[in-house]
Structure formats: structure tokens, C-alpha cells
Amino acid sequence: MGNSRNNNLNKVFSRNIFRCCFEKGFDSTYEKVIKEYITFADNKSNYDLICEIYNILKKQYRNEYYYKNTLLNKLLLGVHSLNTTTALTELPIADCKADFILINGKAVVYEIKTELDNFDRLENQINNYYKAFDHVAVVTCKESLNDLKEKIESFTISRWVFMSCRDEGQLRRCKIRNIYGRFKFRSSV
């Protein structure tokens, strides 16, 4: 039951679900999530329902969509400007897809590793991203930060890798440098 529940929750914030709701006025996955997670749903607007579902996502199941949305809100809308910055998602680079890219004078690729992910493909992803971009950031949760540091320490990447971790609603930046086996960690807010 839990896996099916989370799978449905994972699907709610997708183009297809919203398109179906808009065009047909109904989506079975959206309805299932409302029945499973929301109390007194009949008295609530779609806006209220979406907000509640998002808060559940935030607390219980921080998937890639949640991280992309956090990056968009904190960086594009909070730091940069819609007039001067472009955000891209799922851009193919070599045999990988960059999760999130911000272009504003410089381009930064953000590879997202949620608490639901592992780091098995990370070295290949970072190396591929550096083929097209000069700046790469890995975003993960606070609980995975030590695992990420250990993983990056074993890489042969000869450039800076920036990490961010989600900590109590904030994005914290941490720099990692790994050149020929040397590892340096410096934290900044």
C-alpha cells in the first residue's frame, strides 16, 4: 500500500495530471491522492488541495519535483530575475539528463539527489555535465550530505563541485573540491 501511495503522490505534480484535470476536469490519480491524504476534501478548493498535497510532499516524500520547485523558488524567483535568467529542466547532456539548469551570465547545472536516490551514476553525470558547462552543483538532503561527500571524495573530478543541502526549508551551500584525490570541504550560508 505504501509504495502505491507514494507512487501516486509522486505523480500528482506532473504535466499530464494537470493537463487531464484542466481538459477533463478530473484525473484518477489526483482523486486517489486526495482520498488517501486529505481530510474534509469536499469543502476545499483545488488550490487548497494542491497546497495540502505539496505540504505532504514536503514533509513525507521529497521527490525530484519538490527539489526542482525549491530551486526555482529560492534561486530563480528569490535571487535572480525572470527577465535575466533562464531555467531549464531535463536537458540531455551526453548519456545523462541535467535535472535543473540556471543560465544568468553563467550556466549552472544542478544534479538533484533526493533521499530516494543513490549516488551510483553521479561521477558519470558530473563528468558529462562538465563537457558542456563550467559549473555543476549537486543538491541533496541534509541526511545524505555525508554519503555525498564520501562519494565525491572517490571521484577523479578535477573541478569544483558545489553541493547544496536542504535544511529546514533553506538551501545551504557547501563547496567541495576534489583534485587528484585531495578533498576540501568548506561550508557557507
Side-chain angles (χ1 to χ4, degrees):
M1 172 86 177
N3 235 359
S4 171
R5 250 184 113 185
N6 287 340
N7 193 29
N8 286 332
L9 185 60
N10 194 34
K11 292 178 183 177
V12 168
F13 294 95
S14 70
R15 237 181 239 145
N16 290 337
I17 298 290
F18 284 123
R19 182 180 298 127
C20 194
C21 286
F22 180 74
E23 291 174 358
K24 298 178 183 176
F26 172 83
D27 180 82
S28 61
T29 301
Y30 178 64
E31 292 293 326
K32 285 177 191 173
V33 169
I34 290 170
K35 286 178 185 173
E36 292 176 29
Y37 288 95
I38 307 297
T39 56
F40 308 111
D42 293 339
N43 301 328
K44 296 176 183 172
S45 69
N46 275 322
Y47 174 80
D48 292 333
L49 293 169
I50 292 293
C51 287
E52 280 192 47
I53 293 168
Y54 188 78
N55 283 328
I56 292 165
L57 196 68
K58 177 180 179 179
K59 292 175 185 171
Q60 296 179 17
Y61 192 75
R62 294 180 293 199
N63 62 6
E64 192 171 291
Y65 169 82
Y66 174 76
Y67 280 81
K68 286 178 184 177
N69 192 56
T70 300
L71 287 169
L72 185 76
N73 286 314
K74 299 284 183 181
L75 297 177
L76 180 61
L77 302 177
V79 175
H80 301 294
S81 164
L82 288 172
N83 297 326
T84 60
T85 305
T86 300
L88 304 168
T89 61
E90 301 298 317
L91 184 71
I93 300 172
D95 63 348
C96 302
K97 282 188 182 175
D99 291 325
F100 190 81
I101 299 170
L102 275 182
I103 302 170
N104 179 334
K106 70 177 183 179
V108 180
V109 175
Y110 293 87
E111 176 58 33
I112 298 168
K113 295 296 182 189
T114 73
E115 42 270 81
L116 310 170
D117 292 326
N118 63 51
F119 301 113
D120 294 346
R121 298 180 333 118
L122 185 60
E123 183 174 17
N124 182 53
Q125 290 168 314
I126 291 173
N127 282 324
N128 280 331
Y129 300 155
Y130 274 128
K131 291 176 183 176
F133 296 93
D134 288 331
H135 304 281
V136 175
V138 180
V139 179
T140 193
C141 61
K142 183 179 179 182
E143 296 79 15
S144 297
L145 191 59
N146 285 333
D147 292 339
L148 178 58
K149 288 181 350 188
E150 287 176 20
K151 187 71 174 177
I152 289 178
E153 188 174 26
S154 68
F155 293 173
T156 56
I157 297 165
S158 61
R159 297 190 186 215
W160 284 92
V161 176
F162 295 92
M163 292 192 322
S164 297
C165 62
R166 217 193 131 280
D167 182 15
E168 297 176 22
Q170 300 294 319
L171 285 175
R172 302 177 72 84
R173 294 181 187 171
C174 312
K175 276 188 182 179
I176 287 187
R177 185 176 185 184
N178 184 341
I179 298 180
Y180 311 113
R182 292 183 307 178
F183 181 79
K184 180 179 179 183
F185 178 73
R186 183 173 63 215
S187 180
S188 62
V189 176

